[in-house]
Amino acid sequence: MPRAAGYPRRLKPIAAHLHRCQLEVGGSFSHQSSRTSQKYLPESMGAGVAMFDYDNDGYQDLFFVNGAKFLDPMPSGASPDKSDPRFWNRLYRNNKDGTFTDVTEKAGLRGSSYGWVWLREIMTMMATPICWSPTWAGIRCIENNGDGTFSDVTKKAGLSGSGWCAGACFVDYDRDGLLDVIVTRVP
């Protein structure tokens, strides 16, 4: 049976376990969070990792969501700072030989706030894959441009939300045949 247009082809299994991948990347990913005297809840939480084929070469790539720096104390209305490279999210391209290359900067996926999860929409109705990343500063909708880069299309998609968005999932909530996104938020 032929696949619908835009449906992803079968992915080849990833060649390395995540603990081995750290050694073969040529560096390592270590989740970073600030340690403050305030002991903010996110400081104790880990972040997300996703395996997906961002460049459509049939091999799964790795994306790690990372934390950010909190001030001590964190002023009201301020966002955690992700400008230091140790706090950047990381996208690793699968080199098809069990090793990975960090392509975070080229892809434009450094991130802008403390992140937790990464969800990828791969349904046939989508012309381009859309990724959702709930963060301390609200939800982000990221579109794969198909050229190895990503764009933030949150405003273009008509999405909004502030505060600590802790999770998200896709489901056809209203049973209209189209996926909806449900975002959970901590008040």
Side-chain angles (χ1 to χ4, degrees):
M1 176 186 218
R3 292 184 299 232
Y7 193 79
R9 61 181 171 262
R10 187 174 302 256
L11 296 173
K12 294 176 179 70
I14 198 160
H17 297 291
L18 289 180
H19 70 276
R20 273 189 52 218
C21 170
Q22 278 191 322
L23 301 174
E24 296 175 1
V25 167
S28 67
F29 174 83
S30 179
H31 177 260
Q32 298 293 320
S33 63
S34 294
R35 299 214 191 312
T36 69
S37 64
Q38 304 296 311
K39 300 192 184 321
Y40 297 112
L41 184 58
E43 294 176 68
S44 65
M45 299 173 67
V49 62
M51 294 172 33
F52 68 107
D53 184 14
Y54 90 96
D55 56 2
N56 205 26
D57 65 359
Y59 288 82
Q60 295 184 64
D61 306 295
L62 301 173
F63 182 77
F64 294 88
V65 181
N66 207 353
K69 181 180 179 182
F70 284 97
L71 297 176
D72 192 5
M74 194 72 174
S76 179
S79 289
D81 180 16
K82 209 171 186 81
S83 60
D84 184 331
R86 73 185 182 112
F87 292 111
W88 293 356
N89 300 328
R90 294 290 172 182
L91 176 63
Y92 293 104
R93 184 186 69 236
N94 190 326
N95 295 327
K96 306 174 194 171
D97 63 2
T99 65
F100 295 81
T101 300
D102 186 342
V103 294
T104 306
E105 280 192 274
K106 180 181 180 229
L109 288 176
R110 292 172 28 179
S112 60
S113 188
Y114 202 108
W116 283 273
V117 296
W118 181 262
L119 301 173
R120 181 168 183 265
E121 167 51 56
I122 57 171
M123 299 304 292
T124 58
M125 61 193 84
M126 303 293 289
T128 56
I130 299 289
C131 301
W132 303 84
S133 183
T135 70
W136 177 271
I139 186 118
R140 296 290 178 258
C141 181
I142 310 296
E143 182 174 35
N144 187 335
N145 299 322
D147 62 359
T149 65
F150 292 77
S151 297
D152 187 330
V153 293
T154 308
K155 288 181 183 174
K156 179 179 165 185
L159 298 171
S160 64
S162 61
W164 181 9
C165 294
C169 71
F170 293 105
V171 64
D172 184 7
Y173 179 77
D174 54 6
R175 298 182 182 178
D176 64 357
L178 301 172
L179 286 179
D180 306 297
V181 64
I182 296 175
V183 178
T184 58
R185 185 176 175 277
V186 176

Coordinates of all heavy atoms in Angstrom, one line a residue, residues 69-146:
K69 N 19.7 29.4 33.2 CA 20.2 30.0 34.4 C 19.1 30.9 35.1 O 18.5 31.7 34.5 CB 21.4 30.9 34.2 CG 22.0 31.6 35.4 CD 23.2 32.5 35.1 CE 23.7 33.1 36.4 NZ 24.8 34.0 36.1
F70 N 18.9 30.5 36.4 CA 18.0 31.3 37.2 C 18.8 32.3 38.0 O 19.9 32.0 38.5 CB 17.3 30.4 38.2 CG 16.1 29.6 37.6 CD1 16.3 28.3 37.3 CD2 14.9 30.2 37.5 CE1 15.3 27.6 36.7 CE2 13.8 29.5 36.9 CZ 14.1 28.2 36.5
L71 N 18.3 33.5 38.2 CA 18.9 34.5 39.1 C 18.5 34.1 40.5 O 17.5 33.4 40.8 CB 18.5 35.9 38.8 CG 18.8 36.4 37.4 CD1 18.2 37.8 37.2 CD2 20.4 36.4 37.2
D72 N 19.3 34.5 41.5 CA 19.0 34.2 42.9 C 18.9 35.4 43.8 O 19.9 36.0 44.1 CB 20.2 33.3 43.4 CG 19.9 32.6 44.7 OD1 18.8 32.7 45.2 OD2 20.8 32.0 45.3
P73 N 17.7 35.9 44.0 CA 16.4 35.3 43.7 C 16.0 35.8 42.3 O 16.6 36.7 41.7 CB 15.4 35.9 44.7 CG 16.0 37.2 45.1 CD 17.5 37.0 45.0
M74 N 15.0 35.1 41.7 CA 14.5 35.4 40.3 C 13.5 36.5 40.4 O 12.5 36.4 41.1 CB 13.9 34.1 39.8 CG 13.6 34.2 38.3 SD 15.2 34.1 37.4 CE 14.6 34.1 35.8
P75 N 13.8 37.7 39.8 CA 12.8 38.8 39.9 C 11.5 38.4 39.2 O 11.5 37.7 38.2 CB 13.5 39.9 39.2 CG 15.0 39.5 39.1 CD 15.0 38.0 39.1
S76 N 10.4 39.0 39.7 CA 9.1 38.8 39.1 C 9.1 39.2 37.6 O 9.6 40.3 37.3 CB 8.1 39.5 39.9 OG 6.8 39.3 39.3
G77 N 8.6 38.4 36.8 CA 8.6 38.7 35.3 C 9.8 38.4 34.5 O 9.8 38.5 33.3
A78 N 10.9 38.0 35.2 CA 12.1 37.7 34.5 C 12.1 36.3 34.0 O 11.4 35.4 34.6 CB 13.3 37.9 35.5
S79 N 12.8 36.0 33.0 CA 12.9 34.6 32.4 C 14.3 34.1 32.6 O 15.3 34.8 32.7 CB 12.7 34.6 30.9 OG 11.3 34.9 30.6
P80 N 14.4 32.8 32.8 CA 15.8 32.2 32.9 C 16.6 32.5 31.7 O 16.1 32.6 30.6 CB 15.4 30.7 33.0 CG 14.0 30.6 33.5 CD 13.4 31.8 32.9
D81 N 17.9 32.6 31.9 CA 18.8 33.0 30.8 C 19.5 31.8 30.2 O 20.1 31.0 30.8 CB 19.9 33.9 31.4 CG 20.9 34.4 30.4 OD1 20.7 34.3 29.2 OD2 22.0 34.9 30.9
K82 N 19.4 31.7 28.8 CA 19.9 30.6 28.1 C 21.1 31.0 27.2 O 21.5 30.3 26.3 CB 18.8 30.0 27.2 CG 19.0 28.5 27.0 CD 17.7 28.0 26.4 CE 17.7 26.5 26.2 NZ 17.4 25.8 27.4
S83 N 21.7 32.2 27.4 CA 22.7 32.7 26.5 C 24.0 32.0 26.6 O 24.7 31.9 25.6 CB 22.9 34.2 26.7 OG 23.3 34.5 28.1
D84 N 24.3 31.4 27.8 CA 25.6 30.7 28.0 C 25.4 29.3 27.2 O 24.4 28.6 27.4 CB 25.8 30.4 29.4 CG 27.1 29.7 29.8 OD1 27.6 28.9 28.9 OD2 27.6 29.9 30.9
P85 N 26.4 29.0 26.3 CA 26.3 27.7 25.6 C 26.0 26.5 26.4 O 25.5 25.5 25.9 CB 27.6 27.7 24.8 CG 28.0 29.1 24.7 CD 27.6 29.7 25.9
R86 N 26.4 26.4 27.7 CA 26.2 25.2 28.4 C 24.7 25.0 28.7 O 24.3 23.9 29.1 CB 27.0 25.3 29.7 CG 26.5 26.2 30.8 CD 27.5 26.2 32.0 NE 27.0 27.1 33.0 CZ 26.5 26.7 34.2 NH1 26.6 25.4 34.5 NH2 26.1 27.6 35.1
F87 N 23.9 26.1 28.5 CA 22.5 25.9 28.7 C 21.7 25.7 27.4 O 20.5 25.5 27.4 CB 21.9 27.2 29.4 CG 22.3 27.3 30.8 CD1 23.2 28.4 31.2 CD2 21.9 26.4 31.8 CE1 23.6 28.5 32.5 CE2 22.3 26.6 33.1 CZ 23.2 27.6 33.5
W88 N 22.4 25.7 26.3 CA 21.7 25.6 25.0 C 21.0 24.2 24.9 O 21.6 23.2 25.4 CB 22.6 25.7 23.8 CG 23.2 27.1 23.6 CD1 22.9 28.2 24.4 CD2 24.1 27.5 22.7 NE1 23.6 29.3 23.9 CE2 24.4 28.9 22.9 CE3 24.8 26.8 21.7 CZ2 25.3 29.6 22.1 CZ3 25.7 27.5 20.9 CH2 26.0 28.9 21.1
N89 N 19.9 24.1 24.2 CA 19.4 22.8 23.8 C 20.4 22.3 22.8 O 21.3 23.0 22.3 CB 18.1 23.0 23.1 CG 17.0 23.6 24.0 OD1 17.0 23.4 25.2 ND2 16.1 24.3 23.4
R90 N 20.4 21.0 22.5 CA 21.4 20.4 21.6 C 20.7 19.5 20.6 O 19.9 18.6 20.9 CB 22.4 19.6 22.3 CG 23.3 20.4 23.2 CD 24.2 21.3 22.4 NE 24.9 22.2 23.3 CZ 25.8 23.1 22.9 NH1 26.0 23.2 21.6 NH2 26.4 23.9 23.7
L91 N 21.0 19.7 19.3 CA 20.6 18.8 18.2 C 21.8 18.2 17.6 O 22.8 18.8 17.2 CB 19.9 19.6 17.1 CG 19.4 18.8 15.9 CD1 18.4 17.7 16.2 CD2 18.9 19.7 14.8
Y92 N 21.8 16.8 17.7 CA 22.9 16.0 17.1 C 22.4 15.3 15.9 O 21.5 14.5 15.9 CB 23.4 15.0 18.2 CG 24.1 15.7 19.3 CD1 23.4 15.8 20.6 CD2 25.3 16.2 19.2 CE1 24.0 16.4 21.7 CE2 26.0 16.8 20.3 CZ 25.3 16.9 21.5 OH 25.9 17.5 22.6
R93 N 23.1 15.5 14.7 CA 22.8 14.8 13.5 C 23.5 13.5 13.5 O 24.6 13.3 13.8 CB 23.3 15.7 12.3 CG 22.9 15.0 10.9 CD 23.5 15.7 9.8 NE 24.9 15.5 9.8 CZ 25.9 16.5 9.7 NH1 25.5 17.7 9.7 NH2 27.1 16.2 9.7
N94 N 22.7 12.5 13.1 CA 23.2 11.1 13.0 C 24.2 11.0 11.8 O 23.7 11.3 10.7 CB 22.1 10.1 12.9 CG 22.5 8.7 13.0 OD1 23.6 8.3 12.6 ND2 21.6 7.9 13.6
N95 N 25.4 10.6 12.0 CA 26.4 10.5 10.9 C 26.3 9.2 10.2 O 27.1 8.9 9.3 CB 27.8 10.7 11.4 CG 28.0 12.1 12.0 OD1 27.5 13.1 11.5 ND2 28.8 12.2 13.0
K96 N 25.3 8.4 10.5 CA 25.1 7.1 9.9 C 26.2 6.0 10.2 O 26.2 5.0 9.5 CB 24.9 7.2 8.4 CG 23.8 8.2 8.0 CD 23.8 8.5 6.5 CE 23.0 9.7 6.2 NZ 23.1 10.1 4.8
D97 N 27.0 6.3 11.1 CA 28.1 5.4 11.5 C 28.2 5.1 13.0 O 29.2 4.7 13.5 CB 29.4 5.8 10.9 CG 29.9 7.2 11.5 OD1 29.2 7.7 12.4 OD2 31.0 7.6 11.1
G98 N 27.1 5.5 13.7 CA 27.1 5.4 15.2 C 27.6 6.6 15.9 O 27.7 6.6 17.1
T99 N 28.0 7.6 15.1 CA 28.5 8.9 15.7 C 27.5 10.0 15.4 O 26.7 9.9 14.5 CB 29.9 9.3 15.3 OG1 29.9 9.5 13.9 CG2 30.9 8.2 15.6
F100 N 27.6 11.1 16.1 CA 26.7 12.3 15.9 C 27.5 13.5 15.9 O 28.5 13.7 16.5 CB 25.7 12.3 17.1 CG 24.8 11.1 17.1 CD1 25.2 9.9 17.7 CD2 23.5 11.2 16.5 CE1 24.4 8.8 17.7 CE2 22.7 10.1 16.6 CZ 23.1 8.9 17.1
T101 N 27.0 14.5 15.1 CA 27.6 15.9 15.0 C 26.6 16.9 15.6 O 25.4 16.9 15.3 CB 27.9 16.2 13.6 OG1 28.8 15.2 13.1 CG2 28.5 17.6 13.4
D102 N 27.1 17.8 16.4 CA 26.3 18.9 17.0 C 26.0 19.9 15.9 O 26.9 20.5 15.4 CB 27.1 19.5 18.2 CG 26.3 20.5 18.9 OD1 25.2 21.0 18.4 OD2 26.6 20.9 20.1
V103 N 24.7 20.1 15.6 CA 24.3 21.0 14.6 C 23.4 22.1 15.2 O 22.6 22.7 14.4 CB 23.7 20.3 13.3 CG1 24.7 19.5 12.6 CG2 22.5 19.5 13.8
T104 N 23.4 22.3 16.5 CA 22.5 23.1 17.2 C 22.5 24.6 16.6 O 21.4 25.1 16.3 CB 22.9 23.2 18.7 OG1 23.0 21.9 19.2 CG2 21.9 24.0 19.5
E105 N 23.6 25.2 16.5 CA 23.7 26.6 16.0 C 23.2 26.7 14.6 O 22.4 27.6 14.3 CB 25.1 27.1 16.1 CG 25.5 27.5 17.5 CD 26.7 28.4 17.5 OE1 27.8 27.7 17.6 OE2 26.6 29.6 17.5
K106 N 23.6 25.8 13.7 CA 23.2 25.9 12.3 C 21.7 25.7 12.2 O 21.0 26.3 11.4 CB 23.9 24.8 11.5 CG 23.5 24.8 10.0 CD 24.2 23.7 9.2 CE 23.7 23.7 7.8 NZ 23.3 22.5 7.3
A107 N 21.1 24.8 13.0 CA 19.7 24.5 13.0 C 18.9 25.6 13.6 O 17.7 25.7 13.4 CB 19.4 23.2 13.7
G108 N 19.5 26.5 14.4 CA 18.8 27.5 15.1 C 17.9 27.0 16.3 O 16.9 27.6 16.6
L109 N 18.4 26.0 17.0 CA 17.7 25.4 18.1 C 18.3 25.6 19.5 O 18.1 24.8 20.4 CB 17.5 23.9 17.8 CG 16.5 23.6 16.7 CD1 16.5 22.1 16.5 CD2 15.1 24.1 17.0
R110 N 19.1 26.7 19.7 CA 19.7 26.9 21.0 C 18.6 27.0 22.1 O 18.8 26.7 23.2 CB 20.5 28.2 20.9 CG 21.7 28.2 20.1 CD 22.4 29.5 19.9 NE 22.2 30.4 20.9 CZ 22.8 31.6 20.9 NH1 23.5 32.0 19.9 NH2 22.6 32.4 22.0
G111 N 17.5 27.6 21.7 CA 16.4 27.7 22.7 C 16.4 29.1 23.3 O 17.3 29.9 23.1
S112 N 15.3 29.4 24.1 CA 15.2 30.8 24.6 C 14.8 30.8 26.1 O 14.8 31.8 26.7 CB 14.2 31.6 23.8 OG 12.9 31.0 23.8
S113 N 14.5 29.6 26.6 CA 14.1 29.6 28.0 C 14.3 28.2 28.6 O 14.7 27.3 27.9 CB 12.6 30.0 28.2 OG 12.3 30.1 29.6
Y114 N 14.1 28.0 29.8 CA 14.2 26.7 30.5 C 13.2 25.7 29.9 O 12.0 26.0 29.8 CB 13.9 26.8 32.0 CG 14.5 25.8 32.8 CD1 15.6 26.1 33.6 CD2 14.0 24.5 32.8 CE1 16.2 25.1 34.4 CE2 14.6 23.5 33.6 CZ 15.7 23.8 34.4 OH 16.2 22.9 35.2
G115 N 13.7 24.6 29.3 CA 12.8 23.7 28.6 C 12.6 22.4 29.3 O 13.4 22.0 30.1
W116 N 11.5 21.7 28.9 CA 11.3 20.4 29.5 C 11.1 19.3 28.5 O 11.6 18.2 28.6 CB 10.0 20.4 30.4 CG 10.2 21.0 31.7 CD1 10.7 20.4 32.8 CD2 10.1 22.4 32.0 NE1 10.8 21.3 33.8 CE2 10.5 22.5 33.3 CE3 9.7 23.5 31.3 CZ2 10.5 23.8 34.0 CZ3 9.7 24.7 31.9 CH2 10.1 24.8 33.3
V117 N 10.3 19.5 27.5 CA 9.9 18.4 26.6 C 10.0 18.9 25.1 O 10.1 20.1 24.8 CB 8.5 17.9 26.9 CG1 8.4 17.2 28.2 CG2 7.4 18.9 26.7
W118 N 9.9 17.9 24.2 CA 10.0 18.2 22.8 C 9.0 17.2 22.2 O 9.2 16.0 22.3 CB 11.4 18.0 22.3 CG 11.6 18.3 20.9 CD1 11.7 17.4 19.9 CD2 11.8 19.6 20.3 NE1 11.9 18.0 18.7 CE2 12.0 19.3 18.9 CE3 11.8 20.9 20.7 CZ2 12.2 20.3 18.0 CZ3 12.1 21.9 19.8 CH2 12.2 21.6 18.5
L119 N 8.0 17.6 21.5 CA 7.1 16.7 20.8 C 7.1 17.0 19.3 O 7.3 18.1 18.9 CB 5.6 17.0 21.3 CG 5.4 16.8 22.8 CD1 4.0 17.3 23.1 CD2 5.5 15.4 23.2
R120 N 7.0 16.0 18.5 CA 7.1 16.1 17.1 C 5.8 15.6 16.5 O 5.4 14.5 16.7 CB 8.3 15.4 16.5 CG 8.4 15.6 15.0 CD 9.7 15.1 14.5 NE 9.7 15.3 13.1 CZ 9.4 14.4 12.2 NH1 9.0 13.3 12.5 NH2 9.5 14.8 10.9
E121 N 5.2 16.4 15.6 CA 4.0 16.0 14.9 C 4.5 15.4 13.5 O 5.1 16.1 12.7 CB 3.2 17.3 14.6 CG 2.1 17.1 13.6 CD 1.2 15.9 13.9 OE1 0.7 15.8 15.0 OE2 1.1 15.1 13.0
I122 N 4.1 14.2 13.3 CA 4.5 13.6 12.0 C 3.3 13.0 11.2 O 3.5 12.2 10.4 CB 5.5 12.4 12.3 CG1 4.9 11.4 13.2 CG2 6.8 12.9 12.8 CD1 5.7 10.1 13.4
M123 N 2.2 13.5 11.5 CA 1.0 13.0 10.8 C 1.0 13.4 9.3 O 1.5 14.4 8.9 CB -0.3 13.5 11.4 CG -0.4 13.0 12.9 SD -0.3 11.3 13.1 CE -1.8 10.8 12.4
T124 N 0.3 12.7 8.5 CA 0.3 12.9 7.0 C -0.4 14.2 6.6 O -0.1 14.8 5.6 CB -0.4 11.8 6.3 OG1 -1.8 11.7 6.8 CG2 0.2 10.5 6.5
M125 N -1.2 14.8 7.5 CA -1.9 16.0 7.1 C -1.0 17.2 7.2 O -1.3 18.3 6.7 CB -3.1 16.2 8.0 CG -2.8 16.4 9.5 SD -4.2 16.3 10.5 CE -4.4 14.5 10.7
M126 N 0.2 17.1 7.8 CA 1.1 18.2 7.9 C 2.1 18.2 6.7 O 2.8 17.2 6.5 CB 1.9 18.1 9.2 CG 1.0 18.0 10.5 SD 0.2 19.5 10.8 CE 1.5 20.6 11.3
A127 N 2.2 19.3 6.1 CA 3.2 19.4 5.0 C 4.6 19.5 5.5 O 5.5 18.9 4.9 CB 2.9 20.7 4.1
T128 N 4.8 20.1 6.7 CA 6.1 20.2 7.3 C 6.0 19.8 8.7 O 5.0 20.1 9.4 CB 6.7 21.6 7.2 OG1 5.8 22.5 7.8 CG2 7.0 22.0 5.8
P129 N 7.0 19.1 9.3 CA 6.9 18.7 10.7 C 6.9 19.9 11.6 O 7.6 20.9 11.4 CB 8.2 17.9 10.9 CG 8.6 17.4 9.5 CD 8.1 18.5 8.6
I130 N 6.1 19.8 12.6 CA 6.0 20.9 13.6 C 6.4 20.3 14.9 O 6.0 19.2 15.3 CB 4.5 21.4 13.7 CG1 4.0 22.0 12.4 CG2 4.4 22.4 14.8 CD1 4.7 23.3 12.0
C131 N 7.2 21.0 15.7 CA 7.6 20.6 17.0 C 7.1 21.5 18.0 O 7.0 22.7 17.8 CB 9.2 20.5 17.1 SG 9.9 19.4 15.9
W132 N 6.8 21.0 19.2 CA 6.3 21.8 20.3 C 7.2 21.7 21.4 O 7.6 20.6 21.8 CB 4.9 21.3 20.7 CG 3.9 21.3 19.6 CD1 3.8 20.3 18.6 CD2 3.0 22.3 19.3 NE1 2.8 20.6 17.7 CE2 2.3 21.8 18.1 CE3 2.6 23.5 19.8 CZ2 1.3 22.6 17.5 CZ3 1.6 24.2 19.2 CH2 1.0 23.8 18.1
S133 N 7.5 22.8 22.0 CA 8.4 22.8 23.2 C 7.9 23.7 24.3 O 8.0 24.9 24.3 CB 9.8 23.3 22.8 OG 10.7 23.2 23.8
P134 N 7.2 23.0 25.3 CA 6.8 23.8 26.4 C 8.0 24.3 27.3 O 8.9 23.5 27.5 CB 6.0 22.8 27.3 CG 5.6 21.8 26.3 CD 6.7 21.7 25.3
T135 N 8.0 25.5 27.7 CA 9.1 26.1 28.4 C 8.6 26.9 29.6 O 7.4 27.1 29.8 CB 10.0 27.0 27.5 OG1 9.2 28.2 27.2 CG2 10.4 26.3 26.3
W136 N 9.5 27.4 30.4 CA 9.2 28.3 31.5 C 8.5 29.6 31.0 O 7.6 30.1 31.6 CB 10.6 28.8 32.1 CG 10.4 29.7 33.2 CD1 10.4 31.1 33.1 CD2 10.3 29.5 34.6 NE1 10.3 31.7 34.4 CE2 10.2 30.7 35.3 CE3 10.2 28.3 35.3 CZ2 10.0 30.8 36.7 CZ3 10.0 28.4 36.7 CH2 9.9 29.6 37.4
A137 N 8.8 30.0 29.7 CA 8.2 31.2 29.2 C 7.0 31.0 28.3 O 6.7 31.8 27.5 CB 9.3 32.0 28.4
G138 N 6.4 29.8 28.3 CA 5.3 29.5 27.5 C 5.6 28.5 26.4 O 6.8 28.0 26.4
I139 N 4.7 28.1 25.6 CA 4.9 27.1 24.6 C 5.5 27.7 23.4 O 5.3 28.9 23.1 CB 3.5 26.4 24.2 CG1 3.8 25.3 23.3 CG2 2.6 27.4 23.6 CD1 3.3 24.0 23.8
R140 N 6.4 26.9 22.7 CA 7.0 27.4 21.5 C 6.6 26.4 20.4 O 6.7 25.1 20.6 CB 8.5 27.4 21.6 CG 9.0 28.4 22.6 CD 8.8 29.8 22.1 NE 9.3 30.8 23.0 CZ 8.5 31.5 23.8 NH1 7.2 31.3 23.8 NH2 9.0 32.3 24.7
C141 N 6.2 26.9 19.2 CA 5.9 26.0 18.1 C 7.0 26.2 17.1 O 7.3 27.3 16.6 CB 4.6 26.4 17.5 SG 4.1 25.5 16.1
I142 N 7.8 25.2 16.8 CA 9.0 25.2 15.9 C 8.7 24.5 14.6 O 8.3 23.3 14.7 CB 10.2 24.6 16.7 CG1 10.3 25.2 18.1 CG2 11.4 24.8 15.8 CD1 10.6 26.7 18.1
E143 N 9.0 25.1 13.5 CA 8.7 24.4 12.2 C 10.1 24.0 11.6 O 11.0 24.8 11.5 CB 8.0 25.4 11.3 CG 7.7 24.8 9.9 CD 6.8 25.7 9.1 OE1 6.9 26.9 9.2 OE2 6.0 25.1 8.3
N144 N 10.1 22.8 11.1 CA 11.3 22.3 10.3 C 11.2 22.9 8.9 O 10.3 22.7 8.2 CB 11.3 20.8 10.3 CG 12.5 20.2 9.7 OD1 13.2 20.9 8.9 ND2 12.8 19.0 10.0
N145 N 12.2 23.7 8.6 CA 12.2 24.4 7.3 C 12.6 23.5 6.1 O 12.5 23.9 5.0 CB 13.2 25.6 7.3 CG 12.7 26.6 8.3 OD1 11.5 26.9 8.5 ND2 13.7 27.2 9.0
G146 N 13.0 22.3 6.4 CA 13.4 21.3 5.4 C 14.8 21.5 4.8 O 15.2 20.8 3.9

